[in-house]
Amino acid sequence: MLIARYTEEHVPFVWAFNERLCAGGSPFQFGAELSQNAFRSAANDVRPEHLLLFDEGGAVRGAYALVFQRFLIGGVPEAAAFLQIPISEGR
């Protein structure tokens, strides 16, 4: 298994992943178009990072996003991240 940042070259693999999810009855999909995943904000330093899980054959079997953002914690700006839309073909 390999985890890699989502780039333009991966779009067809994500489309195939989403088709398998749909065929398996999942109502959820991972955003296949990179433009759907591109939200950023300088005001609060929001920075999403989209990652894909590839199997040994090169197929996407899972995906998730980490969204990094600055928060005030005790009045001090701190960087934190949260997990967004973890999805896989696993059981």
Side-chain angles (χ1 to χ4, degrees):
M1 297 290 194
L2 169 74
I3 295 175
R5 284 197 175 113
Y6 187 16
T7 65
E8 191 69 40
E9 69 188 61
H10 300 134
V11 170
F13 301 105
V14 173
W15 277 105
F17 171 64
N18 285 336
E19 287 174 3
R20 290 191 305 276
L21 288 173
C22 185
S26 175
F28 304 104
Q29 294 187 346
F30 195 72
E33 300 299 327
L34 288 174
S35 62
Q36 293 175 354
N37 296 322
F39 70 89
R40 291 184 181 270
S41 171
N44 56 2
D45 197 24
V46 174
R47 183 179 51 85
E49 191 172 301
H50 297 85
L51 299 136
L52 304 173
L53 175 67
F54 291 89
D55 68 11
E56 295 81 8
V60 172
R61 298 298 179 178
Y64 63 97
L66 290 175
V67 180
F68 297 88
Q69 186 172 356
R70 294 194 80 65
F71 293 93
L72 284 178
I73 300 173
V76 177
E78 298 285 347
F82 64 92
L83 182 65
Q84 186 179 48
I85 194 165
I87 188 166
S88 77
E89 293 179 81
R91 295 175 190 224

